[in-house]
Amino acid sequence: MIAALKIMSKESLILSTEEETNKSINQLVSEIKIQFFLNHPNLISIYDCFSDEHNVYLLMELATDGHLYSVTSRGKSFSEEATSIIIREVSEGVK
């Protein structure tokens, strides 16, 4: 199995106020829990999560084609047919 390791600095979670920092940490924990719960071929799987003194690590399924946001942010447009397929697959992934 080939996987991707996403590394997030704990320092990046520290924001200007304690309230904002707690919100940031809680959001990350919630996203990790949701990702562990989801299991669908159209969604990236997360295999493990761990941390050390400086970073949080997410061991994830490798997505060699990138993700939809990176494609659309480069200004690429899709045909109506391709768009309908993408919408269907995204919808199936979040049912």
Side-chain angles (χ1 to χ4, degrees):
M1 166 180 64
I2 298 176
L5 184 64
K6 182 175 185 176
I7 304 170
M8 292 171 285
S9 165
K10 287 182 177 179
E11 191 174 286
S12 69
L13 298 172
I14 299 172
L15 303 175
S16 59
T17 68
E18 185 176 344
E19 183 179 338
E20 290 175 337
T21 298
N22 289 337
K23 185 177 178 180
S24 174
I25 292 168
N26 289 336
Q27 182 178 357
L28 174 62
V29 170
S30 293
E31 288 180 18
I32 291 170
K33 286 179 180 179
I34 290 168
Q35 195 70 24
F36 269 117
F37 176 75
L38 298 173
N39 183 16
H40 191 277
N42 295 339
L43 299 174
I44 303 279
S45 297
I46 184 169
Y47 303 126
D48 201 2
C49 174
F50 51 96
S51 66
D52 64 18
E53 185 178 333
H54 303 286
N55 298 305
V56 175
Y57 303 91
L58 300 178
L59 186 61
M60 307 172 78
E61 177 182 5
L62 179 63
T64 57
D65 294 331
H67 50 79
L68 185 59
Y69 176 76
S70 65
V71 173
T72 57
S73 66
R74 290 191 301 253
K76 178 176 168 87
S77 60
F78 298 97
S79 68
E80 187 175 323
E81 181 181 357
T83 301
S84 68
I85 291 168
I86 291 168
I87 290 171
R88 183 178 66 242
E89 289 181 356
V90 168
S91 299
E92 288 174 3
V94 294
K95 276 185 186 177

